Amino acid sequence: MDNSKNLNIIALDAMGGDYGPEVTVPAAVEATEKKDLAVILVGEKKLIDRELSKFSPLETSLLSVVPAQGVVTENESPALAYRTKPRASVYVAAGIVKAGKASGFVSMGSTGASIAASTVLYGTMDGIERGAIGGPVIGYSPRTVIVDLGTNVDTRPEQLLDFGALGSIMSRVIYKEKNPKIALLSVGKEKGKGSSLVKETSVLLENSGLNFVGNIEPDDLLKNEFEVVLCDGFVGNIILKFTESLGKIICSQINEILGETDISKTLTASIF
Amino acid sequence: MDNSKNLNIIALDAMGGDYGPEVTVPAAVEATEKKDLAVILVGEKKLIDRELSKFSPLETSLLSVVPAQGVVTENESPALAYRTKPRASVYVAAGIVKAGKASGFVSMGSTGASIAASTVLYGTMDGIERGAIGGPVIGYSPRTVIVDLGTNVDTRPEQLLDFGALGSIMSRVIYKEKNPKIALLSVGKEKGKGSSLVKETSVLLENSGLNFVGNIEPDDLLKNEFEVVLCDGFVGNIILKFTESLGKIICSQINEILGETDISKTLTASIF
């Protein structure tokens, strides 16, 4: 009998998020039941074990625990935290991937700490100075990768150029785009418009060999026409959070006006 | 018989906007009929007269024409344009206010040119380095003045402090708020978060004597809790344009799903 299975192993920062093991452990159990996954729970062993004990041995059979000490909180400097508590859960989780024991790590904790852990432990690609967080965050444009979504709140033109290359790779690998169009978010399509960051970056992009198609305006974010849209991390994070809150408020307004009807369900599902 | 009327006189840059006199002149006629307004049309006399001739003398009785030469386009540097074409419509319109012949001027043309005209001709208030465009642009927060909405795309901390003072005055004068709460838009409420602009500005605001209540996140823009929200002009302009496009696309989506029914009309009217 062949019971071999093609399992992906994920290291999970069990201490991350607002509730820690109380939420991450049941979530991990569910994940191993629904997906072809095994999960390595990383964090304070006592807390994790307490949550694990609430499940049957069979339910937790694809879960293991790697102890870690401490958590990096949202208010800490990730770079400093790496020096003062290198055994914190997010760093240990990242290290498990580096050691080849897992194919990826997941954390709902401090974003900065995840980025710092990845950068320090894995390094960056040749010619790329810093990492960035990017992805499609607007429902109307499901293939538009926006970078940076908040990693670097003070972004320099050279970094945005790097993010263009990273976004392009993400679009090719994940969304199978052959030749992703890269656009730069500005307050007007005209070359003369925009902040000095936009002006300097567009010169770099024009001379980069990347498939740069020019500056776009906010309404272009909703057209699903561009595979990569570049902006500094402050702007990207504002767009990410603002879109989310606007979607929520519009949906609750629809529910308020229509009540919880089939129509309101169709509408809110299509909007959010 | 007393026919005297309390009329406001407005100087209108008749050349502004995408269509110029073809649209601005009929709009001015309508405005004088519906409001207690007299309008001074400023621009190329020949073009304005052609449009005026399409109306009866009675209809145009509260309109007069002041000739101007040239228009400042979106692609021009407003500062340079003021030197090379000081007789352009927007500058002449601004000059009419300065001369005491009108109580305000209106232009749908280059925003930069309007700001430049106002700054050069009227100067700024004591201690205020530059002007800014601000106002409530989010339907959910009708009393929240956001500054800057796009005048200064590269804003310095000292300017944002100035805009805090300007926004506060706007909130007091127009929205009759007694002690407007001033907040700074960031990517997190915590002091340590945000761009260097945010960090430096929040120190200035804390020591300013203004009613600064701290940093807010994008979802706070929708809560109608803050009378003034400060951000640099690039971010403000992105928010302004993004909100508008998102509102439009959601409304057209509602119409598509529900058809043009009474429900869809109620919903879209409440959203946009």
Side-chain angles (χ1 to χ4, degrees):
Chain A
M1 193 172 81
D2 182 10
N3 263 333
S4 78
K5 240 181 161 183
N6 200 357
L7 277 184
N8 265 312
I9 305 177
I10 297 295
L12 176 67
D13 170 9
M15 310 305 288
D18 290 339
Y19 304 99
E22 214 179 305
V23 164
T24 56
V25 172
V29 171
E30 196 179 327
T32 58
E33 283 173 347
K34 292 194 176 158
K35 308 267 179 186
D36 288 337
L37 278 182
V39 176
I40 304 173
L41 298 160
V42 184
E44 305 282 346
K45 191 166 161 39
K46 230 165 124 181
L47 296 176
I48 295 174
D49 281 343
R50 193 177 62 196
E51 298 304 323
L52 281 174
S53 70
K54 297 176 184 169
F55 296 91
S56 73
L58 200 63
E59 284 174 314
T60 60
S61 58
L62 290 174
L63 297 171
S64 63
V65 181
V66 168
Q69 283 82 45
V71 190
V72 184
T73 65
E74 288 288 345
N75 296 313
E76 279 178 284
S77 149
L80 197 65
Y82 184 71
R83 269 172 272 153
T84 56
K85 33 179 145 169
R87 298 294 307 158
S89 53
V90 63
Y91 303 126
V92 173
I96 292 172
V97 178
K98 168 119 177 158
K101 301 285 184 187
S103 43
F105 82 93
V106 170
S107 175
M108 279 73 61
S110 154
T111 309
S114 293
I115 293 282
S118 312
T119 308
V120 173
L121 291 176
Y122 315 145
T124 56
M125 295 161 78
D126 238 16
I128 301 289
E129 188 193 336
R130 299 190 63 165
I133 298 181
V137 294
I138 295 174
Y140 295 104
S141 298
R143 296 171 81 84
T144 298
V145 172
I146 303 181
V147 216
D148 176 10
L149 287 175
T151 328
N152 308 277
V153 286
D154 289 303
T155 316
R156 285 180 293 103
E158 297 75 22
Q159 291 175 326
L160 267 187
L161 176 65
D162 283 2
F163 300 166
L166 292 178
S168 187
I169 293 171
M170 186 174 182
S171 176
R172 280 172 211 265
V173 173
I174 301 186
Y175 301 102
K176 312 294 177 204
E177 296 290 346
K178 291 230 169 69
N179 191 20
K181 289 187 288 296
I182 299 175
L184 182 61
L185 183 64
S186 185
V187 292
K189 289 187 212 312
E190 304 87 354
K191 260 194 177 185
K193 284 207 168 183
S195 57
S196 53
L197 173 65
V198 165
K199 288 178 196 163
E200 286 170 40
T201 305
S202 72
V203 174
L204 294 180
L205 285 164
E206 272 162 12
N207 299 312
S208 68
L210 290 169
N211 186 17
F212 176 56
V213 296
N215 298 355
I216 61 167
E217 293 195 63
D219 64 320
D220 294 314
L221 284 172
L222 306 167
K223 293 179 180 162
N224 205 23
E225 277 174 17
F226 306 94
E227 283 76 35
V228 181
V229 175
L230 301 174
C231 58
D232 78 67
F234 188 83
V235 170
N237 202 260
I238 297 271
I239 289 174
L240 168 71
K241 290 176 175 163
F242 189 63
T243 310
E244 192 187 1
S245 354
L246 211 51
K248 268 188 200 159
I249 201 173
I250 289 177
C251 288
S252 67
Q253 201 186 351
I254 289 176
N255 284 330
E256 206 173 282
I257 293 175
L258 298 184
E260 299 255 341
T261 59
D262 283 351
I263 295 179
S264 66
K265 267 179 215 155
T266 310
L267 286 176
T268 53
S270 81
I271 287 170
F272 199 58
Chain B
M1 195 173 83
D2 181 10
N3 263 333
S4 77
K5 241 182 161 183
N6 200 356
L7 277 182
N8 266 312
I9 305 177
I10 297 295
L12 176 68
D13 170 10
M15 311 305 288
D18 291 338
Y19 304 99
E22 214 178 304
V23 164
T24 56
V25 171
V29 172
E30 198 179 325
T32 58
E33 283 173 347
K34 293 193 174 157
K35 307 269 181 185
D36 289 337
L37 277 183
V39 175
I40 304 174
L41 298 159
V42 184
E44 304 282 346
K45 190 165 160 39
K46 230 167 127 180
L47 296 177
I48 294 174
D49 281 345
R50 193 176 63 196
E51 297 305 322
L52 282 175
S53 69
K54 297 176 183 168
F55 296 90
S56 72
L58 201 62
E59 285 173 314
T60 60
S61 57
L62 290 174
L63 296 170
S64 63
V65 180
V66 168
Q69 283 83 45
V71 189
V72 184
T73 64
E74 287 288 344
N75 296 314
E76 279 178 283
S77 149
L80 198 67
Y82 185 72
R83 270 173 268 154
T84 54
K85 33 177 145 169
R87 298 293 307 156
S89 52
V90 63
Y91 302 126
V92 174
I96 292 171
V97 177
K98 167 120 177 156
K101 301 285 184 186
S103 43
F105 81 93
V106 171
S107 175
M108 278 74 60
S110 155
T111 310
S114 293
I115 292 282
S118 312
T119 308
V120 173
L121 291 176
Y122 315 144
T124 54
M125 294 161 80
D126 240 16
I128 301 289
E129 189 193 335
R130 301 188 63 165
I133 298 180
V137 294
I138 295 175
Y140 295 104
S141 299
R143 297 169 82 84
T144 298
V145 172
I146 302 180
V147 218
D148 176 12
L149 288 174
T151 328
N152 309 278
V153 285
D154 290 302
T155 315
R156 285 180 292 103
E158 296 76 22
Q159 292 175 326
L160 267 188
L161 176 65
D162 283 3
F163 301 166
L166 292 177
S168 187
I169 293 171
M170 186 173 183
S171 177
R172 279 171 212 265
V173 173
I174 301 185
Y175 301 102
K176 313 293 177 204
E177 296 289 346
K178 292 227 168 72
N179 191 20
K181 289 188 289 294
I182 300 176
L184 182 61
L185 183 64
S186 185
V187 292
K189 288 188 215 307
E190 303 87 355
K191 261 193 173 182
K193 284 207 166 180
S195 58
S196 53
L197 173 64
V198 165
K199 288 177 197 164
E200 287 171 38
T201 305
S202 71
V203 174
L204 293 181
L205 284 164
E206 272 162 12
N207 300 312
S208 69
L210 290 169
N211 185 17
F212 176 56
V213 296
N215 298 355
I216 61 167
E217 293 196 63
D219 65 320
D220 293 314
L221 285 172
L222 306 167
K223 293 179 181 164
N224 204 25
E225 278 174 17
F226 305 94
E227 283 75 37
V228 181
V229 175
L230 300 174
C231 58
D232 78 67
F234 188 83
V235 170
N237 202 260
I238 297 271
I239 289 174
L240 168 71
K241 290 176 175 162
F242 189 62
T243 310
E244 192 187 2
S245 354
L246 210 51
K248 269 188 199 160
I249 202 173
I250 289 177
C251 287
S252 68
Q253 201 187 350
I254 288 176
N255 284 329
E256 208 173 280
I257 294 175
L258 298 185
E260 299 254 342
T261 58
D262 283 350
I263 295 180
S264 68
K265 266 180 215 155
T266 310
L267 286 176
T268 54
S270 81
I271 288 170
F272 200 57

